[in-house]
Amino acid sequence: MLLALVGCAVEPSATTPGPTVSVEPEPAVSAPPTDGAFDEEPDPAQDGAYLDYVDGVIEATAGAKVLFFHASWCPQCRALDEELNREGAPDGLTVFKVDYDDRGDLRQKYGVTLQTTVVYVGDDGEALASAVLYDDPSIDSLLAAAP
Protein backbone atom coordinates (compact mmCIF):
# COMPACT_ATOMS: atom_id res chain seq x y z
CA MET A 1 0.00 0.00 0.00
CA LEU A 2 1.34 3.41 -1.02
CA LEU A 3 0.54 6.48 1.09
CA ALA A 4 1.36 9.96 -0.22
CA LEU A 5 1.50 12.92 2.10
CA VAL A 6 1.49 16.18 0.19
CA GLY A 7 2.56 19.30 2.06
CA CYS A 8 3.60 17.30 5.12
CA ALA A 9 6.94 17.17 6.86
CA VAL A 10 8.27 14.05 8.56
CA GLU A 11 10.18 14.83 11.72
CA PRO A 12 12.03 12.31 13.86
CA SER A 13 11.03 12.34 17.50
CA ALA A 14 13.47 11.88 20.35
CA THR A 15 10.79 10.51 22.70
CA THR A 16 9.01 8.04 20.44
CA PRO A 17 10.50 5.43 18.23
CA GLY A 18 9.13 6.40 14.85
CA PRO A 19 8.52 9.42 12.71
CA THR A 20 5.79 11.90 13.50
CA VAL A 21 3.91 13.76 10.84
CA SER A 22 3.08 17.43 11.07
CA VAL A 23 0.83 19.18 8.59
CA GLU A 24 1.27 22.85 7.94
CA PRO A 25 -1.99 24.73 7.25
CA GLU A 26 -2.42 26.19 3.79
CA PRO A 27 -2.41 29.99 3.61
CA ALA A 28 -5.83 31.61 3.41
CA VAL A 29 -6.81 32.92 0.01
CA SER A 30 -9.50 35.54 -0.24
CA ALA A 31 -11.73 35.51 -3.27
CA PRO A 32 -13.10 38.68 -4.81
CA PRO A 33 -16.67 39.47 -3.86
CA THR A 34 -19.24 37.99 -6.21
CA ASP A 35 -22.31 39.62 -4.72
CA GLY A 36 -21.47 43.24 -5.60
CA ALA A 37 -20.08 43.95 -2.11
CA PHE A 38 -16.89 45.95 -1.85
CA ASP A 39 -14.32 45.99 0.91
CA GLU A 40 -12.68 49.14 -0.30
CA GLU A 41 -13.69 51.72 -2.86
CA PRO A 42 -11.14 53.45 -5.08
CA ASP A 43 -10.06 56.90 -3.91
CA PRO A 44 -10.53 59.23 -6.90
CA ALA A 45 -8.30 61.87 -5.32
CA GLN A 46 -5.36 59.55 -5.84
CA ASP A 47 -4.20 57.57 -8.84
CA GLY A 48 -6.79 56.52 -11.36
CA ALA A 49 -8.09 52.97 -11.37
CA TYR A 50 -8.86 50.49 -14.15
CA LEU A 51 -11.20 47.78 -12.86
CA ASP A 52 -13.58 45.12 -14.14
CA TYR A 53 -17.22 46.15 -13.85
CA VAL A 54 -19.40 44.35 -11.32
CA ASP A 55 -22.95 45.24 -10.31
CA GLY A 56 -23.09 47.96 -7.65
CA VAL A 57 -19.64 49.37 -8.37
CA ILE A 58 -20.90 52.69 -9.77
CA GLU A 59 -22.75 53.61 -6.61
CA ALA A 60 -19.88 52.38 -4.42
CA THR A 61 -17.24 54.48 -6.20
CA ALA A 62 -16.79 58.18 -5.57
CA GLY A 63 -15.45 60.61 -8.12
CA ALA A 64 -15.30 60.60 -11.91
CA LYS A 65 -16.07 57.25 -13.49
CA VAL A 66 -16.48 55.89 -16.98
CA LEU A 67 -17.73 52.59 -18.39
CA PHE A 68 -15.57 51.17 -21.19
CA PHE A 69 -17.56 48.68 -23.28
CA HIS A 70 -14.87 46.17 -24.26
CA ALA A 71 -15.01 43.07 -26.46
CA SER A 72 -12.09 40.63 -26.35
CA TRP A 73 -12.40 40.00 -30.11
CA CYS A 74 -12.17 43.73 -30.98
CA PRO A 75 -8.66 44.97 -31.92
CA GLN A 76 -9.53 48.59 -31.03
CA CYS A 77 -10.82 47.48 -27.62
CA ARG A 78 -7.64 45.49 -27.04
CA ALA A 79 -5.53 48.53 -27.98
CA LEU A 80 -7.23 50.77 -25.40
CA ASP A 81 -7.19 47.95 -22.83
CA GLU A 82 -3.43 47.48 -23.34
CA GLU A 83 -2.79 51.23 -23.01
CA LEU A 84 -4.85 51.42 -19.80
CA ASN A 85 -3.04 48.39 -18.37
CA ARG A 86 0.36 49.78 -19.36
CA GLU A 87 -0.12 53.45 -18.36
CA GLY A 88 -2.94 53.19 -15.86
CA ALA A 89 -6.11 55.23 -15.76
CA PRO A 90 -5.67 59.00 -15.54
CA ASP A 91 -5.47 60.45 -12.03
CA GLY A 92 -8.85 60.95 -10.44
CA LEU A 93 -10.68 58.73 -12.95
CA THR A 94 -12.01 55.22 -12.43
CA VAL A 95 -12.47 53.27 -15.65
CA PHE A 96 -14.72 50.21 -15.46
CA LYS A 97 -14.20 47.57 -18.15
CA VAL A 98 -17.64 46.25 -19.15
CA ASP A 99 -17.88 43.02 -21.14
CA TYR A 100 -19.65 44.09 -24.34
CA ASP A 101 -20.92 40.59 -25.15
CA ASP A 102 -22.16 39.61 -21.68
CA ARG A 103 -23.72 42.88 -20.52
CA GLY A 104 -26.55 43.48 -22.97
CA ASP A 105 -28.52 45.00 -20.11
CA LEU A 106 -25.96 47.79 -19.73
CA ARG A 107 -25.66 48.25 -23.50
CA GLN A 108 -29.40 48.77 -23.65
CA LYS A 109 -29.52 51.07 -20.63
CA TYR A 110 -26.81 53.35 -22.05
CA GLY A 111 -27.71 53.02 -25.74
CA VAL A 112 -24.41 51.36 -26.64
CA THR A 113 -24.39 49.82 -30.12
CA LEU A 114 -20.67 49.54 -30.81
CA GLN A 115 -17.75 48.19 -28.80
CA THR A 116 -15.12 50.77 -27.71
CA THR A 117 -17.95 53.00 -26.49
CA VAL A 118 -17.23 54.87 -23.27
CA VAL A 119 -19.98 56.25 -21.05
CA TYR A 120 -19.20 58.70 -18.25
CA VAL A 121 -21.66 58.16 -15.41
CA GLY A 122 -22.65 60.03 -12.28
CA ASP A 123 -22.87 58.60 -8.78
CA ASP A 124 -26.44 57.48 -9.46
CA GLY A 125 -25.43 55.63 -12.64
CA GLU A 126 -27.04 58.12 -15.02
CA ALA A 127 -25.12 58.80 -18.22
CA LEU A 128 -23.34 62.16 -18.33
CA ALA A 129 -21.57 61.81 -21.70
CA SER A 130 -20.61 59.10 -24.15
CA ALA A 131 -18.41 58.58 -27.18
CA VAL A 132 -17.32 55.80 -29.51
CA LEU A 133 -13.51 55.53 -29.49
CA TYR A 134 -13.36 53.04 -32.36
CA ASP A 135 -11.35 55.34 -34.66
CA ASP A 136 -8.96 56.49 -31.91
CA PRO A 137 -8.90 54.01 -29.03
CA SER A 138 -6.58 55.96 -26.72
CA ILE A 139 -6.50 57.47 -23.25
CA ASP A 140 -6.39 60.92 -24.87
CA SER A 141 -9.69 60.18 -26.66
CA LEU A 142 -11.13 58.79 -23.43
CA LEU A 143 -10.32 62.06 -21.67
CA ALA A 144 -11.63 64.14 -24.57
CA ALA A 145 -15.01 62.41 -24.18
CA ALA A 146 -15.40 63.62 -20.58
CA PRO A 147 -18.37 65.87 -19.80
Side-chain angles (χ1 to χ4, degrees):
M1 179 164 133
L2 179 61
L3 177 64
L5 299 174
V6 179
C8 299
V10 177
E11 301 171 1
S13 172
T15 59
T16 58
T20 59
V21 177
S22 66
V23 178
E24 295 183 27
E26 294 185 26
V29 177
S30 62
T34 57
D35 61 356
F38 303 96
D39 295 332
E40 176 181 322
E41 68 181 52
D43 182 354
Q46 297 184 359
D47 293 339
Y50 182 40
L51 307 168
D52 287 332
Y53 177 88
V54 293
D55 289 333
V57 74
I58 293 171
E59 297 81 8
T61 304
K65 50 198 147 284
V66 62
L67 304 176
F68 164 36
F69 286 84
H70 174 278
S72 61
W73 45 264
C74 169
Q76 288 82 355
C77 294
R78 287 194 310 263
L80 180 54
D81 180 61
E82 289 168 6
E83 185 176 355
L84 284 165
N85 280 316
R86 183 177 59 250
E87 297 183 23
D91 288 348
L93 179 64
T94 303
V95 180
F96 295 109
K97 182 177 171 182
V98 178
D99 188 301
Y100 181 84
D101 294 317
D102 290 342
R103 295 310 303 251
D105 59 327
L106 293 177
R107 287 196 335 259
Q108 184 176 15
K109 177 178 180 175
Y110 294 110
V112 173
T113 59
L114 187 64
Q115 68 280 1
T116 67
T117 299
V118 295
V119 179
Y120 280 83
V121 294
D123 293 339
D124 58 0
E126 292 301 312
L128 303 175
S130 67
V132 177
L133 306 185
Y134 192 86
D135 292 331
D136 184 15
S138 66
I139 291 175
D140 288 340
S141 292
L142 175 72
L143 291 172

